Amino acid sequence: MRKMAIGIAALAATGLLLAGCSSTPTTPTPSETEDAIDASGVTLTVWTDENRKPAIEAAAAAFEEETGGKIELVQKNFEDIRTDFTNQVPTGEGPDITIGAHDWLGSLVQAGVVSPVDLTDTASNFAPVSLDAFTYDGQLYALPYSLETIALVQNTELVGDDAPATWDDAIKAATDAGAERPIVINTAGQTGDAYTMYGFQTSFGAPVFVSNADGYTSEVGMGGDAGTAFAEWLGANGEKGDGYISTTIDYDTNNELFASGKAAYTVQGPWAIEALTADGVEIKVNPIPSAGGETAAPFVGVQGFYVSSQSKNALVAQEFLTKYLATYDAQKALYEADPRIPAWNDLATEVSSDPVIAGFVASSQNGVPMPNIPEMGSVWDLWNAAQVQIIKGADPASTWDKMITDLQALIG
């Protein structure tokens, strides 16, 4: 739904320059730390896309040399993997391992096509949000490797480098600087964009779904006083209020207004950096400021590797994940192939020497995984529509309450 599929291509120009500059020691191979398993006669089939295939090849080569097993890499269009995996695994076809996104997880678990993975020995190397993203009913179902999120992007010529702590601070700084527009926020025009607004919503304590130690539940969490407070803030800043948030702003218009120097701030993802700086605007990336008093927690998307529930070589597949892909070298190769925020902590620290990447990493540390439960698919239309109505001037409380009631009825 976001323009995420292209990854962080805009950061490649800076991020890849860092790739050869690391002094971080390489992770020992299994043969240096313990005996590798004997996988002679075993062939693991791994589904990947074009971007990540070269990165996996190095780990596959090491696995083959040390275990006697074979890795068959099958290149697929990323957009096809989820459906093909869900359809083929129950028939005994499909791969042993596939790359995939974390928000597929709920439907994959319900379809019975994935198995839990055990990262006991390496879990501490990964960003906690990446592990949370792949956790369902208290079980971890994938090896994470990358993150993506949105953050506050500011025009430093207008408002400097300092991160505003609150929405009001940002508006004041931009107004004092004489910005034509203090901030632009994509609403996808008349469609609505609850994804982009989510950091502000969570700062009111109104998460889309309630979560507990086992992950997200199906209980809607954005009702009650907290949800109403967010809705009223949205209305106050909408077209009949202060006018900072408007349904005239779609993705491209948002980027053009910021790139032309008319707006002091925007909320965008790394995929937009190239467009935002196309006309030479100098930027700083910071976490999203709070509007409601709590930490603004944007959605975080995570990608990683799942194991098929029907794999005839599940133990070998687990070995490939935990001993050959859960290493600094393999994670770095994946980053170089497709430069998204690394889930591997040391690598994320390394690439954060680039201040743009550092800003998105900081934002991701405040963030929460987009819910991986199947019910999430039912939320977007009602949620987006309610926000558009409120921005255009509908009564915030009653509009929001109706959305909550309709959503609860829809998901049962």
Side-chain angles (χ1 to χ4, degrees):
M1 119 173 218
R2 302 260 50 73
K3 296 195 177 183
M4 289 182 187
I6 61 174
I8 304 184
L11 295 185
T14 53
L16 289 179
L17 292 175
L18 302 170
C21 301
S22 169
S23 59
T24 303
T26 59
T27 303
T29 63
S31 60
E32 294 174 313
T33 58
E34 58 182 279
D35 292 335
I37 63 169
D38 181 4
S40 300
V42 172
T43 297
L44 293 179
T45 300
V46 180
W47 281 2
T48 181
D49 62 357
E50 181 179 7
N51 287 348
R52 273 68 71 94
K53 184 179 178 183
I56 301 171
E57 285 173 346
F63 171 86
E64 292 179 346
E65 179 180 350
E66 295 171 10
T67 69
K70 298 292 183 185
I71 300 289
E72 179 186 7
L73 289 177
V74 177
Q75 180 178 312
K76 297 180 68 69
N77 292 325
F78 189 81
E79 294 76 13
D80 298 332
I81 288 177
R82 180 180 182 176
T83 299
D84 290 352
F85 187 78
T86 303
N87 291 340
Q88 292 186 31
V89 167
T91 69
E93 302 296 327
D96 298 280
I97 296 169
T98 187
I99 199 165
H102 90 271
D103 55 338
W104 304 356
L105 179 55
S107 62
L108 295 181
V109 171
Q110 285 200 338
V113 295
V114 288
S115 291
V117 300
D118 181 4
L119 297 184
T120 302
D121 295 336
T122 58
S124 63
N125 291 311
F126 292 95
V129 70
S130 70
L131 299 175
D132 291 344
F134 280 117
T135 298
Y136 189 88
D137 283 343
Q139 298 247 51
L140 182 67
Y141 278 91
L143 171 80
Y145 95 85
S146 73
L147 312 174
E148 54 193 3
T149 194
I150 57 177
L152 185 75
V153 183
Q154 57 197 68
N155 181 327
T156 59
E157 294 178 7
L158 290 174
V159 292
D161 291 345
D162 292 343
T166 69
W167 169 270
D168 290 342
D169 289 342
I171 298 301
K172 183 178 187 305
T175 301
D176 289 349
E180 182 176 326
R181 289 173 175 262
I183 191 167
V184 284
I185 298 179
N186 173 36
T187 67
Q190 301 291 321
T191 301
D193 190 356
Y195 174 91
T196 296
M197 296 302 305
Y198 193 61
F200 298 114
Q201 181 176 318
T202 53
S203 78
F204 286 87
V208 59
F209 286 108
V210 174
S211 60
N212 57 33
D214 291 334
Y216 283 102
T217 72
S218 60
E219 179 184 352
V220 177
M222 53 185 172
D225 292 343
T228 300
F230 167 69
E232 290 175 344
W233 172 86
L234 191 61
N237 287 280
E239 293 169 7
K240 298 295 178 66
D242 291 330
Y244 300 131
I245 303 171
S246 170
T247 58
T248 64
I249 307 298
D250 60 17
Y251 181 88
D252 292 329
T253 302
N254 180 98
N255 295 348
E256 289 166 5
L257 288 169
F258 185 90
S260 65
K262 294 179 180 177
Y265 298 96
T266 188
V267 176
Q268 265 291 13
W271 48 85
I273 292 299
E274 185 175 13
L276 295 175
T277 58
D279 295 334
V281 169
E282 296 292 327
I283 66 167
K284 178 74 185 303
V285 178
N286 284 309
I288 295 170
S290 174
E294 299 185 23
T295 299
F299 280 134
V300 177
V302 186
Q303 293 199 7
F305 296 89
Y306 292 104
V307 175
S308 165
S309 62
Q310 299 302 311
S311 172
K312 296 179 175 62
N313 301 292
L315 292 178
V316 179
Q318 170 83 14
E319 181 84 356
F320 179 63
L321 287 187
T322 59
K323 300 299 194 299
Y324 294 88
L325 288 180
T327 68
Y328 171 84
D329 288 342
Q331 296 287 315
K332 182 176 180 179
L334 286 163
Y335 171 78
E336 291 174 350
D338 184 35
R340 303 165 187 255
I341 300 169
W344 191 264
N345 291 323
D346 287 348
L347 187 57
T349 299
E350 177 187 333
V351 302
S352 290
S353 59
D354 181 303
V356 173
I357 299 176
F360 286 107
V361 170
S363 185
S364 74
Q365 292 169 344
N366 286 346
V368 292
M370 184 184 294
N372 54 24
I373 57 177
E375 290 84 354
M376 189 64 194
S378 302
V379 169
W380 296 108
D381 288 347
L382 290 169
W383 194 16
N384 285 334
Q387 291 198 9
V388 164
Q389 291 166 28
I390 292 169
I391 292 167
K392 289 175 69 67
D395 178 70
S398 61
T399 303
W400 197 257
D401 285 347
K402 183 177 186 305
M403 181 269 290
I404 298 294
T405 300
D406 290 347
L407 179 57
Q408 289 170 331
L410 181 63
I411 66 175

